[in-house]
Amino acid sequence: MGLDWSSPEEREPLLPPPSPAVPQQYPQHGQSRRAPGPSRMAPRGRGLSPVGNPGRLSPTPGRVYGRRWLVLLLFSLLGFVQGLVWNTWGPIQNSARQALAFSSLDIALLVFWGPIGFVPCFAFMWLMDKKGLRITVLLTSFLMVVGAGLRCVPVSDQETRKWLIHGGQLLNGLAGPTFSSAAPFLSTTWFSPDERATATAVASLIGYLGGACAFLVGPLLVPGPNSTSTIPLAPGSSSEHIKDRIEAVLYAEFGIVALIFCAALAYFPSRPPFPPSVAAASQRLSYRRSFCRLLSNPRFLMIALAYAIPLGVFSGWSGVLDWVLTPAHISQVDAGWIGFWSIVGGCVFGIALARFADSIRGMLKLILLLLLSGATLSSIWFTLTSLTTVIHFRVTAATLYTSCILLGVFLNSSVPIFFELFVETVYPVPEGITCGVVTFLSNMFMGVLLFFLTFYHEEFSWFNWCLPGSCLLSLLLILCFRESYDRLYLDVIVSV
């Protein structure tokens, strides 16, 4: 679609004629995507050149378009509402129990539909690889619209309404693979090398911000059964009042999802007329060869586990944060604020950190080591605070706020740094396939954790100990990881 939107002047490429090593044009659909990957040319290990001074290198310029920010905005908003819908029920689980007769199994299952939605993620990766970003985004966002609509169907039978809500959550979960893993693909396709990490951070973290807003919107709009909400209850009709408030939230979310979907349907191109960098223009491995390359690369498997284990555990833990904090006599509203600020802090710090990574290249491993060290210490602090029967730390709102917020800041801000390091490590494997595999692994670990939670939900000490254990394991894996920057090497070294 892109060529019809540009003037003849815009179509004049900034890149010189292609050399045999680096083709200028995007490969057409159906064309062989085999290419001599830069991994055979790029030096391994930390740094980009034999002199080890990547900070002085500047990438070869390509053509970038102002419309890239609109594409990034639409993608980020869709990721935002996907996270918002997914996290609807965790922050108001006490209210849902009373008004809709949800059980503990229902609450866990409503969160569990998120990782279950990643089961067919390989189909969405294939679709993104073959048909591009526009078709994939529109299909998955349409599933979100249908899912949000199912939750609003007005039926009188309580059991039928419950299953419609479960079905809506599942359809929303099916959209998760695209918005969780396509951020590096979008940033490579539309942004220059000195903006890629920032674009990846915005596109990947705004979805987390949607989950954070659910922590805020739900408890503030839906009264809690223990009267901890700021909304006054009508005497003698608390359950009906709570139910009406829940339905109002569901209708509002459906309207927002439908509106953003219509905007994406009107304008969301797959790619610009001309690539923004050499790496964006170069050919990639085929779908089948990409999986062979990923599964046979021990360095990728090491860093994939370093990402998937702590982020999967943290996602499952934050999805039922209100449930986890209830034994500590933390109200639904306070739990919502804790979850909100932990994710918002991670988003803001992650975007700032990604911008720093764009300006200082070749430092991704060091950044991850610092972030995972902070996450390990914060999770140990929170877990020890929760063990009031063993270690008599004073449990206060300040300690819970601080430890949870720091944990969210360190882990959430590591997501775009991990994504960029994945792509650099396994280039020329397509970005969507690479990040799709690691997000699948992350949701697999989250699913396993929530599966055990459905059986062992009376006591949460084991659940809390999973946090520091996963962060410490990830820290050890990153320490042993040997970094390389194959994609960036192609942009800053190879002459076109």
Side-chain angles (χ1 to χ4, degrees):
M1 297 181 63
L3 289 177
D4 295 335
W5 299 333
S6 58
S7 64
E9 291 76 14
E10 284 182 312
R11 296 176 196 172
E12 297 178 3
L14 292 182
L15 300 179
S19 66
V22 184
Q24 174 191 350
Q25 299 295 332
Y26 285 107
Q28 301 298 319
H29 295 309
Q31 179 181 344
S32 174
R33 304 184 68 169
R34 296 181 59 183
S39 57
R40 298 181 180 178
M41 300 178 293
R44 294 287 180 179
R46 189 162 179 263
L48 298 173
S49 64
V51 297
N53 191 9
R56 296 183 179 179
L57 297 176
S58 59
T60 303
R63 178 176 288 278
V64 293
Y65 299 83
R67 71 193 76 167
R68 70 191 186 278
W69 299 110
L70 177 58
V71 174
L72 179 62
L73 175 64
L74 288 175
F75 182 89
S76 301
L77 288 177
L78 287 169
F80 176 89
V81 294
Q82 198 275 333
L84 178 69
V85 172
W86 170 74
N87 199 30
T88 298
W89 301 100
I92 58 171
Q93 55 96 14
N94 288 323
S95 302
R97 289 169 187 266
Q98 176 171 326
L100 301 176
F102 280 176
S103 63
S104 297
L105 178 61
D106 286 318
I107 299 298
L109 190 58
L110 286 169
V111 181
F112 193 34
W113 290 126
I116 289 178
F118 277 76
V119 173
C121 75
F122 298 105
F124 289 103
M125 283 188 280
W126 176 87
L127 184 65
M128 190 186 309
D129 185 57
K130 297 298 181 183
K131 300 298 182 181
L133 195 59
R134 173 177 171 82
I135 298 297
T136 309
V137 167
L138 291 182
L139 175 61
T140 52
S141 55
F142 176 73
L143 293 177
M144 290 167 52
V145 174
V146 176
L150 283 178
R151 305 189 311 165
C152 300
V153 176
V155 294
S156 56
D157 183 68
Q158 192 74 17
E159 196 66 23
T160 303
R161 180 71 187 280
K162 182 186 297 185
W163 283 110
L164 285 174
I165 291 175
H166 279 287
Q169 290 295 119
L170 174 59
L171 289 178
N172 181 78
L174 292 175
T178 298
F179 298 110
S180 298
S181 60
F185 179 60
L186 183 145
S187 64
T188 300
T189 303
W190 284 91
F191 289 84
S192 61
D194 59 351
E195 296 175 334
R196 277 196 300 237
T198 304
T200 298
V202 173
S204 59
L205 292 178
I206 294 299
Y208 290 88
L209 190 60
C213 286
F215 281 115
L216 180 63
V217 172
L220 289 181
L221 296 182
V222 179
N226 52 2
S227 300
T228 58
S229 173
T230 57
I231 306 294
L233 293 178
S237 60
S238 60
S239 294
E240 285 301 319
H241 183 66
I242 292 173
K243 184 177 179 180
D244 290 341
R245 289 288 182 172
I246 292 177
E247 290 180 349
V249 170
L250 298 183
Y251 279 112
E253 290 178 349
F254 171 69
I256 295 173
V257 172
L259 179 63
I260 301 176
F261 169 72
C262 291
L265 186 63
Y267 183 84
F268 193 92
S270 282
R271 63 191 183 192
F274 293 100
S277 65
V278 176
S282 62
Q283 294 178 352
R284 305 303 174 86
L285 298 180
S286 66
Y287 184 77
R288 181 181 62 84
R289 290 191 63 199
S290 295
F291 280 99
C292 294
R293 175 72 66 89
L294 293 178
L295 297 178
S296 62
N297 189 335
R299 295 171 60 245
F300 169 75
L301 296 177
M302 178 186 298
I303 193 175
L305 290 176
Y307 167 85
I309 294 176
L311 267 299
V313 171
F314 178 73
S315 297
W317 177 81
S318 60
V320 291
L321 183 60
D322 179 29
W323 197 2
V324 171
L325 294 178
T326 297
H329 306 290
I330 300 300
S331 70
Q332 184 170 277
V333 174
D334 284 336
W337 279 110
I338 290 174
F340 174 79
W341 287 116
S342 65
I343 298 177
V344 169
C347 293
V348 173
F349 187 65
I351 293 173
L353 199 60
R355 191 61 197 147
F356 172 76
D358 272 331
S359 60
I360 307 294
R361 302 181 185 91
M363 305 288 288
L364 297 180
K365 177 180 176 178
L366 177 60
I367 294 174
L368 285 178
L369 287 175
L370 295 176
L371 292 176
L372 290 171
S373 298
T376 301
L377 295 176
S378 301
S379 59
I380 291 175
W381 182 15
F382 171 80
T383 303
L384 292 179
T385 303
S386 302
L387 296 177
T388 55
T389 58
V390 179
I391 301 176
H392 298 285
F393 284 172
R394 184 181 179 185
V395 181
T396 64
T399 58
L400 287 174
Y401 264 75
T402 305
S403 59
C404 290
I405 290 173
L406 287 177
L407 177 61
V409 166
F410 289 127
L411 283 182
N412 288 327
S413 61
S414 71
V415 172
I417 307 299
F418 266 117
F419 279 1
E420 288 296 300
L421 192 55
F422 292 143
V423 175
E424 298 288 352
T425 301
V426 299
Y427 185 85
V429 176
E431 291 84 353
I433 295 177
T434 301
C435 296
V437 169
V438 296
T439 52
F440 173 79
L441 289 176
S442 175
N443 280 268
M444 184 182 69
F445 281 107
M446 180 173 69
V448 170
L449 190 70
L450 293 175
F451 175 77
F452 281 105
L453 185 62
T454 60
F455 296 98
Y456 304 100
H457 52 264
E458 300 298 332
E459 201 271 330
F460 292 99
S461 62
W462 68 272
F463 198 16
N464 293 331
W465 274 112
C466 289
L467 284 171
S470 62
C471 293
L472 182 60
L473 177 60
S474 177
L475 179 61
L476 294 176
L477 289 173
I478 294 297
L479 278 171
C480 300
F481 176 74
R482 181 168 53 89
E483 62 188 329
S484 64
Y485 297 89
D486 295 347
R487 182 185 58 168
L488 186 58
Y489 175 83
L490 182 66
D491 280 323
V492 301
I493 297 295
V494 177
S495 61
V496 182

